[in-house]
Amino acid sequence: MLGKEVRLSRIMRSDRILCIPMDHGVTDGPIKGLTDINWIVNEVAKGGATCVVLHKGMIKALRSAKIPFLMHMSASTSLGPEPNRKVRVASVVEAIRLGADGVSVHINIGGERSEPEMLEKLGSVASEADEFGMPLLAMMYARGPNIKDKFDPKAISLVARVGAELGADIVKVPYTGDPESFKEVTRGVSVPVIIAGGPKMSSEREVLEMVEGAMKGGAAGVSIGRNVFQHERPASMVRAIASIIFDGLSAEEAMGVLEDSGNPE
């Protein structure tokens, strides 16, 4: 497992992770913040992100990689009849060929038809990743007819455990809303758990408070997309988030970091 340990040390810092996912283009097209992939990747690198998540085409489009990256292996589009049905679109071998330091898959639990095939995909990708010593990030969500509340701690605990049980090295889940309920999630999982950023929030403080709460709840870090790459100063937002994850600052103190950071443009 030496290769996997080496790669994990690249995408994490002090066993914590600040990941910026940028795989949204397949689902939603060239949304705000992702039209110039080279610019935004360099910005989050400046801010101190430990890694980014990209689809293989965007990896090929990078002029230079100043930050470790994971290749995303799942996809669906917002125009399709089943947007929650994520299919496999890449292989671990492709990730190695492109110089990735890890791979990621998106798994939705609760779909009538899609859950079985996505579970099968998670298990097979985990086996492939182990074979080649590649870290696997499993983005686990509770979505489907049987899910009444996708932020329910019991549902999130279940999907997080599924990710760990089937071989993921890092599990990403939505934040449950408060540190105590999130502890229910992290205490039942044997691998690092990180939180998803979710939709664009109404304020920076709201994002930073979510990060602070997650860390108090036992998270190993975050995977935040829109609330970073759609920010007016993405590098500064990353610095503020990093100050909570790596320096132990409060959300209030992180707001000061954000305000003190100059515009990187």
Side-chain angles (χ1 to χ4, degrees), residues 131-150:
E131 180 182 357
F132 291 103
M134 290 290 279
L136 170 61
L137 165 63
M139 305 178 181
M140 306 296 298
Y141 295 88
R143 293 175 179 171
N146 293 328
I147 310 301
K148 296 178 181 178
D149 177 7
K150 61 184 180 181

Side-chain angles (χ1 to χ4, degrees), residues 74-215:
S74 303
S76 67
T77 76
S78 57
L79 300 178
E82 295 181 78
N84 284 335
R85 187 180 183 186
K86 302 289 183 178
V87 300
R88 180 170 172 166
V89 294
S91 70
V92 174
V93 171
E94 284 182 286
I96 295 170
R97 189 182 302 127
L98 291 170
D101 291 295
V103 293
S104 62
V105 291
H106 181 140
I107 306 295
N108 292 322
I109 301 297
E112 291 180 1
R113 293 199 309 145
S114 59
E115 180 184 300
E117 66 184 50
M118 281 196 272
L119 289 176
E120 183 179 26
K121 175 181 73 176
L122 175 57
S124 65
V125 171
S127 296
E128 234 180 88
D130 279 346
E131 180 182 357
F132 291 103
M134 290 290 279
L136 170 61
L137 165 63
M139 305 178 181
M140 306 296 298
Y141 295 88
R143 293 175 179 171
N146 293 328
I147 310 301
K148 296 178 181 178
D149 177 7
K150 61 184 180 181
F151 299 107
D152 175 25
K154 289 184 178 179
I156 300 302
S157 294
L158 178 101
V159 300
R161 184 60 179 251
V162 169
E165 291 268 358
L166 294 187
D169 299 293
I170 303 169
V171 172
K172 167 182 170 178
V173 294
Y175 182 50
T176 54
D178 63 85
E180 288 307 310
S181 65
F182 201 66
K183 286 178 183 177
E184 294 181 33
V185 177
T186 58
R187 68 166 59 102
V189 181
S190 57
V191 299
V193 179
I194 64 177
I195 63 161
K200 186 75 166 67
M201 294 184 177
S202 58
S203 71
E204 298 154 338
R205 185 179 296 275
E206 189 178 359
V207 177
L208 298 175
E209 287 175 350
M210 177 181 68
V211 175
E212 180 186 10
M215 299 306 293

